[in-house]
Amino acid sequence: MPALAPTAYYDPLTAEARQTLFSAASYLNDDEFMQLEKACAYAFHAHDGQTRKSGEPYITHPIAVATELALWHMDIQTLCAGLMHDVLEDTGISKIEMAAEFGEIIADMVDGLSKLERLEYNDYAEHQAESFRKLILAMTKDIRVIIVKLSDRLHNMRTLDSMRPEKRRRIAQETLEIHAQIANRIGLNNVYRELQDLSFRSIYPRRYATLQKAMSAFHRNRRDVIGKVLRAFSQRLVGLNIEAQIKGREKNLYSIYQKMQDKNLHFADVMDIYGFRVIVNNIPACYAALGALHGLYKPKPGKIKDYIAIPKSNGYQSLHTTLVGPYALPIEVQIRTREMDAVAE
Ligand code: MN
């Protein structure tokens, strides 16, 4: 390693990014923290003088990737792999040198990331997205490598603006078909939704803007529907001694867009923007919860589905109902046991 400090050390934005990483990683112990600082210095030297398309020092990218990983509370090896994920690919450093400094495991992770980087989705025809996803998962023995890859893609997608429109669209399409789906499969739901929305914005910027406007107008007059419904559900279930875990979320822009496309609907028609899930301990509690919620908000006729008594052909089980919630908004509810939830996910 050269003795001189890398030029990016003197860049105020980079210093700030570095500080943000160390704050986000405050859950590490002292030894781990020292290792993080070492990996950070190593990456600084390796990428010294390199810049991103936007003109920023290149090091800001791996720092952002590692910061995201820290926000997900990943372990020290994953954070180090995130900081050094482009080191083997873009600089003269070999895997053996990295292993000597950081151990085999981290060097293996970074090597795995470099191999993923070299895979070209372009070589695969559109309908082969599934086999490409399988290839990525099969190439990766360590699931943490996939998680670093997703953090890498997330940061690239958040900073896609400096790319040419054509390249931007290609990357977004790949992200939508490959990375978002992998995130969904391994249960990183927030990553899944953010990757979808960022891809959507790059592929159809005008549709995205229009839909976003419609969404914020829609929410302006219907503040905190989710909070209201969550409180009402939990009060009612607690009152009846039904132990339950309740989750509610707004659908992301892309899933609303997909629904409009698939069913040929206008925004105003895609009214089921609120979806809730109630997880209970056993099957009798599913039916008890259904009854309790029907007593709270009026159910819509024809919308009650019993996939517990009659599971879907893929084995999916749940009770579905749609309620007339606050502001007369339709509230879609799925009720199931923990085991059914694991199968569905
Ligand atoms: Mn990268």
Side-chain angles (χ1 to χ4, degrees):
M1 219 181 276
L4 276 176
T7 46
Y9 265 144
Y10 305 109
D11 178 62
L13 272 179
T14 310
E16 196 186 312
R18 193 166 167 276
Q19 202 45 56
T20 309
L21 166 63
F22 290 147
S23 319
S26 61
Y27 58 90
L28 297 177
N29 68 33
D30 290 352
D31 282 353
E32 293 170 336
F33 211 81
M34 273 168 60
Q35 209 181 350
L36 187 70
E37 286 195 319
K38 185 177 159 189
C40 198
Y42 201 78
F44 259 91
H45 282 286
H47 293 296
D48 196 20
Q50 297 176 351
T51 51
R52 300 196 85 206
K53 272 246 154 53
S54 60
E56 293 167 288
Y58 192 84
I59 186 70
T60 54
H61 166 63
I63 289 180
V65 170
T67 303
E68 191 66 27
L69 292 167
L71 293 173
W72 304 345
H73 280 235
M74 297 302 294
D75 65 9
I76 178 64
Q77 292 175 328
T78 310
L79 299 190
C80 289
L83 269 172
M84 301 189 292
H85 76 273
D86 285 327
V87 165
L88 295 182
E89 191 69 358
D90 298 347
T91 70
I93 295 167
S94 72
K95 185 186 167 190
I96 295 169
E97 290 171 82
M98 185 177 283
E101 289 288 334
F102 294 95
E104 290 287 340
I105 294 174
I106 290 175
D108 268 341
M109 289 171 79
V110 175
D111 188 48
L113 283 154
S114 307
K115 288 197 175 111
L116 287 184
E117 199 60 53
R118 284 195 288 272
L119 277 185
E120 280 284 342
Y121 183 49
N122 280 353
D123 300 344
Y124 282 73
E126 206 171 306
H127 60 279
Q128 286 181 319
E130 178 57 30
S131 45
F132 194 75
R133 286 194 294 267
K134 279 193 182 136
L135 177 65
I136 288 180
L137 292 169
M139 272 178 66
T140 329
K141 291 158 286 172
D142 189 337
I143 188 76
R144 296 175 301 175
V145 169
I146 299 278
I147 292 172
V148 176
K149 183 71 210 165
L150 291 175
S151 174
D152 175 38
R153 182 51 64 116
L154 191 57
H155 185 246
N156 284 334
M157 290 299 296
R158 284 173 179 166
T159 54
L160 212 51
D161 293 344
S162 41
M163 298 269 179
R164 282 178 288 113
E166 182 199 332
K167 185 161 191 207
R168 196 156 62 201
R169 260 196 300 278
R170 190 177 58 69
I171 294 174
Q173 197 67 46
E174 181 189 54
T175 304
L176 200 54
E177 286 167 18
I178 308 298
H179 303 83
Q181 295 305 321
I182 290 176
N184 186 31
R185 196 162 310 176
I186 63 175
L188 290 174
N189 295 316
N190 293 335
V191 178
Y192 166 58
R193 285 191 287 271
E194 187 176 350
L195 286 176
Q196 277 190 326
D197 280 359
L198 289 168
S199 304
F200 176 37
R201 192 182 69 179
S202 286
I203 299 169
Y204 300 114
R206 262 174 298 173
R207 293 181 205 186
Y208 179 90
T210 310
L211 206 51
Q212 198 179 36
K213 234 188 221 162
M215 273 290 268
S216 52
F218 182 86
H219 286 305
R220 204 163 300 138
N221 303 317
R222 300 166 185 85
R223 241 160 248 249
D224 195 28
V225 172
I226 291 187
K228 275 198 184 93
V229 173
L230 281 178
R231 282 190 294 277
F233 275 17
S234 108
Q235 257 168 31
R236 177 59 61 108
L237 294 175
V238 167
L240 293 167
N241 276 327
I242 303 170
E243 232 178 90
Q245 197 190 344
I246 310 164
K247 299 175 200 166
R249 63 170 177 82
E250 281 163 23
K251 288 182 178 152
N252 57 330
L253 280 182
Y254 183 69
S255 67
I256 292 168
Y257 172 72
Q258 258 182 325
K259 192 155 201 169
M260 289 167 67
Q261 293 281 306
D262 292 352
K263 303 199 170 161
N264 207 5
L265 296 169
H266 291 288
F267 178 78
D269 305 325
V270 187
M271 286 298 283
D272 58 329
I273 291 181
Y274 298 95
F276 288 82
R277 188 172 299 160
V278 178
I279 315 277
V280 295
N281 291 333
N282 49 47
I283 291 177
C286 290
Y287 292 101
L290 182 74
L293 299 184
H294 282 174
L296 181 65
Y297 296 116
K298 213 186 238 320
K300 284 198 162 192
K303 291 285 191 180
I304 304 160
K305 301 268 161 58
D306 186 347
Y307 294 119
I308 292 180
I310 308 165
K312 287 192 183 179
S313 56
N314 60 11
Y316 174 86
Q317 286 189 294
S318 269
L319 299 176
H320 287 193
T321 187
T322 303
L323 309 170
V324 184
Y327 312 107
L329 289 169
I331 306 282
E332 286 186 344
V333 189
Q334 303 172 339
I335 304 170
R336 56 205 192 207
T337 64
R338 236 177 292 284
E339 292 75 33
M340 292 172 192
D341 193 47
V343 172
E345 293 286 319

